[in-house]
Amino acid sequence: MRLAWVRVRLRSARGAALATFALVLATAFLAAALPRAVDRYEDRALRQTVLAGQFPDRGVALTEDYDARQGLGGTSPLDPSGIGSVQSSVRSLLAGAAPLAPGAAVYGARTAKESGVPDQGLPLTSSHLPTADLVAQADVGAHARLLSGRLPHAPRSSAQDASAPVVEAAVTERTAQVLHLKVGRTLHPQGLSPTPLTVRITGIVAPRDPAAAYWNEDGDMLGPVVNEQPAGVGEAPHTYWHFTLLTDPAAAVLLPRLGAGVTLYWYEPMAVGRLTAHGVPALRGTLDSLSGGPLAARLQDTVGAPVDIGDGLATVLGEFVRERDATAPLVLVAAVGVGTTALAVLLMAGGLAAERRRAEIVLLRARGGSLRAVTGRLAAETAAAAVPGGVVGALLAVVLLPTGRWLLPVLLAALATAVVVVALPVRAGFAVRRPRPGGREDVATARPSRRRLVVELTVVVLTVGAVAALRQRGGGSGTDPFLAAAPVLVAIAAALVLLRLYPVPLRLLARPAARLSGAVTHLGLARAGRSSTGGQLPLLAVLVALTVTSFGGSVLAGISQGRDRAAAATVGADARLDAATSTLSPRLPGAVRKVPGVGLTTTARVEQNSADATFSESYAVVLVDPASYDKLTRAVGLPSFRSGALSGHRGTGADEVLPAVLSPGLAEQVGQETVSLSTGLGSTDIRAAGVLPTTPAAPGGEFVLVSAASVAALHPVAGADTLEEPTTLLAMAAPGRHIDAAALRKVAAMDTSSVSVLLRSQERAALADTPLQRGARNLYLAAVAAGAGYSALALLLSLLQAAPGRATVVARLRTMGMTRRQARRLVLLETLPQVLLAAVGGVLVGLAVVPLLGPGIDLRALTFGTGPRDFTPVDFGLGLRANPWALALPSAGLLILACAVLLAQTWLSGRRRESTELRAGDRV
């Protein structure tokens, strides 16, 4: 019976079934795509972070210093089979947690110290002899192409042979070219052993893959490198060539004869393309265990001695984890916001469907249908359309966004599908659970129940708690879902407040409208007040969606503004020119003003002083023209001193005291006292007239800002020429223009003085996103788009829900003489109050979220990352910033969309005959 019911319903309501299928498909796709998108950008960030490090840091490196007393089952530790067995053990220990590159293991033995090579004919870079390492690395034949000669063979001498051994070796093509080596050449490395060691070159090879780990595990494998010998004070460093001699693995037993020590090494490179962010904890645990845990003990049992593990890969993974943990709270905020928005729209769709079919469901109950049977039929017909949509959406996410994990995406898609399946029957069953007489539930006159009051108070309490906890603990204190839900809770609480206040203006406007001569305004407001209380669900969904959109825009605006202020504080202006040696030439300021795009300019003399009797730390004395310097400081957006702070003085002659603006550190030392300031013009007494956290001419340090003219007046002989010799020039772009960087650098290059040029745009470009930051920013862009899309969808669903009844009312009024123009006014007056309330409420909530949640949202990780940054230590203005576009565009778009849909519906109904709209049995 239930299957027949479903079949009949699908045939009679194809449009509703297709709409449900599309809604579930889109939502299930987003639900499944969100965790997969996070996994993808985190995996990409991890791989790029690993690849950005040095080659040895891209794998697990182990080393052991050779000890002749240890052995592997009675064999020498330098025996190739013993070294290979250790490599097999290392690989088996790592195989469970680390994605190892197949066939890329590097292992062998090498001399621990470089040995001088005194042979004649080798090129020299200084008086220092060239040096070499003897490397007995396995599988050289598999990784090299033989260009001439042959590969080295195992030595004929044994480790106990007292005669001078001869070791065969090969060199790379580049080594042979640079050091003029040929096949048959013999070299005599110098060691600490009295027994000489002769190395005969038997072959010249070329790497089959120069990028392979085999040739990059150590920096001198591919070719010779230039090293430097530490030099004494006042001495120039001595450079020299250093190269590698590749021997047969069996020759490792002879390396101790050189007396330079021997190091055994094993290197397992990671298959970087298979590294995943969710596998990092297991990999870090394995590395920790291998460094000093159970795996280290097992490896020591195998080797017979402690083995050192390099910390390069662990350091790289630690940096990635720190940055991911720093950005995770903000990512969770975006995910919770989008998820709640989707949930609100799905519940709203189920509620509207239940409201639309309420008469049908009441009739089924009146004819004897049990509540269980009715809700079961509704769930079955909804599942028939929703489940295929959920399956298709999840499959699309899995196919389009391939990652290693699939369980969480599938569960989220199933959750979205389940919400749609149960929303309609639960809402409908709750509405008809008890028989009751029919009646209107007008929004303007309905009295909220006590149950609703309890729910609303609970939401308000949760909202206050979330906001207070977020402001106190901060969003960077971990991935707490309750804190992440703070923006959404604010939106829900605001929606509940607006729903409480919404009937008040309707009742106040309805009374004066009833006295108007025309009926359209009165009818429109009356119908707006008589709308069902169930029609308030769209307002809640729209407000949540708009809040998510505006919050995402505020985060993106805060990141952009923080980087802009960081660049401004670091450079001090749009362009900065500093004298590299003494001072700028007198003609340079005039030449800079002629550069295309240059507007406001000012010069300053910056003198760096060490700690002295006045100040306990190094500081900069900045001599400026107060008027022009103040204008530039305000133009760049940095805090400036008050007008007249650097003008005026106390006393006369030698006792004159000049006002000065100091950095916070120096101002604390000075207080209200008069102190002596040492400048290039002479000693000057100053008093603190203001405090600034930073200043354009001397960013990033302590400073004293004084008037150049006042200082020159105190020292007329010394200062006459100094005022015309500034050390720094700051320039701002003209309004609406950009400084021509090439022309500015050309002017600086042609100047007689040595000048360095730094551009604000150059510093801003250096603040490019890291892979994790880029992924998080893209997620917020997606959240903004999803919020805007769901808000439009909620509005469309509500307008389409009321369309049949609206068309019937308009048709009846048109039979009474209402014109089309009046019909359009009526439709707009009936619907726009609630849409306008949602739009204005969205803007107000978006503005309120900034001061409410701003103190608890830490954007530093998304703005600058977690690594060390050489930024000026000032307040960058980091935090949420209201984004006018994210606030205004979605709300304005909703109003425009509502007007367009309503006018289109009125136009379509006007083209039909009134009898079509007024057929018997139609709903009103």
Side-chain angles (χ1 to χ4, degrees):
M1 179 65 182
R2 187 170 297 176
L3 183 60
W5 168 272
V6 171
R7 185 165 54 250
V8 170
R9 286 296 306 174
L10 292 179
R11 287 178 179 176
S12 60
R14 292 188 178 91
L18 290 176
T20 302
F21 174 84
L23 177 61
V24 176
L25 187 152
T27 305
F29 173 78
L30 289 178
L34 178 61
R36 295 180 74 84
V38 173
D39 280 351
R40 281 171 62 84
Y41 84 70
E42 286 186 349
D43 293 347
R44 191 182 306 114
L46 172 63
R47 294 161 188 170
Q48 292 183 11
T49 302
V50 173
L51 290 175
Q54 297 182 354
F55 206 97
D57 298 341
R58 304 176 193 174
V60 181
L62 299 97
T63 58
E64 178 207 350
D65 293 332
Y66 166 71
D67 185 353
R69 293 172 296 178
Q70 71 187 55
L72 295 166
T75 64
S76 169
L78 300 179
D79 187 83
S81 60
I83 299 176
S85 66
V86 173
Q87 180 63 33
S88 301
S89 300
V90 171
R91 194 172 185 87
S92 63
L93 293 177
L94 294 173
L100 304 178
V106 182
Y107 56 95
R110 65 164 58 234
T111 51
K113 300 178 182 178
E114 54 189 30
S115 303
V117 183
D119 296 88
Q120 298 294 323
L122 296 179
L124 303 176
T125 61
S126 66
S127 60
H128 195 287
L129 291 176
T131 62
D133 279 339
L134 271 68
V135 177
Q137 192 160 289
D139 297 331
V140 64
H143 295 85
R145 293 183 295 106
L146 189 63
L147 300 181
S148 62
R150 61 174 174 81
L151 294 177
H153 292 166
R156 298 178 181 178
S157 303
S158 64
Q160 292 75 26
D161 195 345
S163 61
V166 177
V167 177
E168 296 182 351
V171 295
T172 62
E173 181 182 17
R174 175 160 177 75
T175 301
Q177 291 174 350
V178 173
L179 298 180
H180 308 154
L181 299 177
K182 296 182 180 180
V183 175
R185 175 73 184 269
T186 58
L187 302 175
H188 303 82
Q190 294 178 337
L192 301 178
S193 174
T195 305
L197 187 68
T198 300
V199 178
R200 180 182 296 112
I201 297 177
T202 63
I204 298 175
V205 298
R208 295 183 185 275
D209 181 10
Y214 190 91
W215 298 102
N216 293 275
E217 185 272 335
D218 203 293
D220 58 2
M221 289 289 292
L222 283 173
V225 295
V226 177
N227 288 348
E228 286 188 1
Q229 183 186 27
V233 178
E235 297 180 1
H238 294 276
T239 60
Y240 58 93
W241 286 111
H242 176 74
F243 60 100
T244 295
L245 297 169
L246 289 168
T247 69
D248 187 90
V253 296
L254 296 180
L255 297 185
R257 300 283 293 271
L258 191 59
V262 179
T263 298
L264 287 77
Y265 61 91
W266 299 269
Y267 178 70
E268 278 287 356
M270 297 290 107
V272 179
R274 291 165 46 206
L275 284 173
T276 58
H278 67 269
V280 168
L283 180 55
R284 295 184 73 193
T286 300
L287 294 178
D288 291 341
S289 179
L290 198 59
S291 179
L295 294 184
R298 291 173 56 185
L299 188 60
Q300 182 175 346
D301 293 341
T302 302
V303 177
V307 177
D308 297 327
I309 178 172
D311 59 355
L313 180 59
T315 301
V316 171
L317 295 178
E319 293 174 356
F320 167 78
V321 170
R322 282 193 297 274
E323 186 172 2
R324 182 183 63 175
D325 291 346
T327 59
L330 285 173
V331 172
L332 182 61
V333 170
V336 170
V338 174
T340 307
T341 302
L343 178 64
V345 173
L346 294 181
L347 293 177
M348 184 207 73
L352 292 179
E355 188 69 22
R356 185 182 69 249
R357 299 178 58 183
R358 184 166 185 171
E360 170 193 345
I361 298 170
V362 169
L363 181 59
L364 290 175
R365 288 280 286 159
R367 291 181 174 179
S370 66
L371 189 62
R372 180 177 179 181
V374 171
T375 55
R377 288 184 176 186
L378 294 176
E381 68 176 79
T382 307
V387 172
V391 172
V392 174
L395 288 177
L396 283 176
V398 171
V399 172
L400 297 179
L401 299 171
T403 61
R405 295 193 296 180
W406 57 269
L407 181 59
L408 180 60
V410 170
L411 289 178
L412 291 177
L415 177 62
T417 305
V419 168
V420 175
V421 171
V422 303
L424 171 58
V426 169
R427 179 68 180 89
F430 182 80
V432 299
R433 66 190 184 283
R434 293 193 189 96
R436 57 180 177 177
R440 295 205 314 251
E441 297 178 353
D442 296 350
V443 66
T445 58
R447 292 184 178 181
S449 63
R450 294 180 179 178
R451 186 183 293 109
R452 175 181 169 180
L453 179 61
V454 171
V455 172
E456 290 176 346
L457 290 177
T458 303
V459 172
V460 171
V461 170
L462 289 175
T463 303
V464 173
V467 172
L470 184 64
R471 291 172 64 94
Q472 182 178 5
R473 294 165 51 188
S477 57
T479 52
D480 188 340
F482 180 61
L483 298 185
V488 173
L489 289 174
V490 171
I492 296 175
L496 296 178
V497 172
L498 290 177
L499 289 176
R500 283 279 186 172
L501 299 177
Y502 176 56
V504 176
L506 288 180
R507 289 195 293 264
L508 294 178
L509 291 174
R511 294 173 183 175
R515 302 188 184 97
L516 297 177
S517 58
V520 174
T521 303
H522 172 64
L523 284 175
L525 293 176
R527 283 190 56 79
R530 291 180 180 178
S531 60
S532 173
T533 55
Q536 296 176 334
L537 287 174
L539 175 63
L540 177 63
V542 169
L543 202 58
V544 171
L546 289 179
T547 302
V548 171
T549 302
S550 62
F551 182 81
S554 299
V555 169
L556 297 177
I559 293 172
S560 180
Q561 183 172 357
R563 291 179 177 179
D564 290 341
R565 286 184 59 82
T570 303
V571 179
D574 287 337
R576 180 189 186 95
L577 287 78
D578 290 302
T581 54
S582 56
T583 59
L584 302 176
S585 66
R587 59 169 294 276
L588 184 60
V592 169
R593 293 188 189 99
K594 297 178 182 179
V595 173
V598 172
L600 183 64
T601 63
T602 189
T603 57
R605 181 177 179 85
V606 182
E607 300 175 357
Q608 298 294 337
N609 288 0
S610 302
D612 50 29
T614 303
F615 300 112
S616 60
E617 52 190 316
S618 59
Y619 61 96
V621 177
V622 185
L623 307 177
V624 300
D625 171 50
S628 62
Y629 193 79
D630 176 52
K631 288 182 181 179
L632 184 134
T633 304
R634 297 181 187 278
V636 79
L638 294 179
S640 183
F641 47 83
R642 58 181 175 81
S643 178
L646 296 181
S647 62
H649 54 82
R650 294 188 306 191
T652 58
D655 297 331
E656 188 169 356
V657 180
L658 298 182
V661 175
L662 290 79
S663 58
L666 300 186
E668 185 178 354
Q669 299 180 40
V670 171
Q672 301 298 322
E673 299 179 0
T674 298
V675 297
S676 178
L677 177 69
S678 176
T679 70
L681 306 179
S683 180
T684 302
D685 291 337
I686 63 169
R687 58 179 173 83
V691 180
L692 290 178
T694 187
T695 192
E702 304 294 338
F703 60 88
V704 178
L705 203 63
V706 292
S707 169
S710 299
V711 175
L714 288 179
H715 307 278
V717 177
D721 296 330
T722 306
L723 283 178
E724 299 179 356
E725 297 178 351
T727 62
T728 299
L729 187 148
L730 303 173
M732 292 296 295
R737 303 183 63 185
H738 297 281
I739 295 178
D740 189 336
L744 183 64
R745 288 192 172 93
K746 183 177 180 181
V747 168
M750 295 176 62
D751 191 67
T752 55
S753 58
S754 179
V755 179
S756 63
V757 179
L758 182 62
L759 298 176
R760 181 177 179 179
S761 58
Q762 172 186 343
E763 191 69 18
R764 179 64 175 82
L767 298 174
D769 287 334
T770 64
L772 272 177
Q773 291 173 334
R774 189 180 308 113
R777 279 171 56 85
N778 290 339
L779 183 62
Y780 267 93
L781 287 173
V784 170
Y790 273 115
S791 62
L793 179 61
L795 179 63
L796 286 174
L797 289 176
S798 64
L799 293 178
L800 293 176
Q801 159 75 10
R806 190 183 305 117
T808 302
V809 170
V810 170
R812 286 180 175 176
L813 294 174
R814 288 191 62 192
T815 60
M816 302 177 187
M818 176 176 282
T819 65
R820 293 185 178 182
R821 182 177 180 180
Q822 291 174 326
R824 288 193 294 268
R825 285 180 55 200
L826 174 65
V827 170
L828 292 176
L829 285 172
E830 173 189 347
T831 309
L832 283 186
Q834 194 172 27
V835 178
L836 186 62
L837 179 67
V840 175
V843 173
L844 295 178
V845 174
L847 290 173
V849 161
V850 173
L852 281 177
L853 306 183
I857 300 296
D858 185 7
L859 297 181
R860 181 167 292 272
L862 281 183
T863 307
F864 305 123
T866 57
R869 293 278 191 176
D870 185 19
F871 289 138
T872 305
V874 300
D875 178 17
F876 296 117
L878 280 180
L880 299 180
R881 287 292 176 269
N883 188 339
W885 296 108
L887 287 171
L889 279 182
S891 298
L894 286 183
L895 288 174
I896 295 173
L897 178 63
C899 293
V901 172
L902 291 173
L903 293 177
Q905 290 178 351
T906 306
W907 178 77
L908 288 175
S909 63
R911 291 177 60 88
R912 301 179 186 143
R913 296 176 60 88
E914 283 73 9
S915 58
T916 305
E917 301 288 354
L918 297 176
R919 288 177 301 178
D922 281 357
R923 295 186 303 273
V924 179

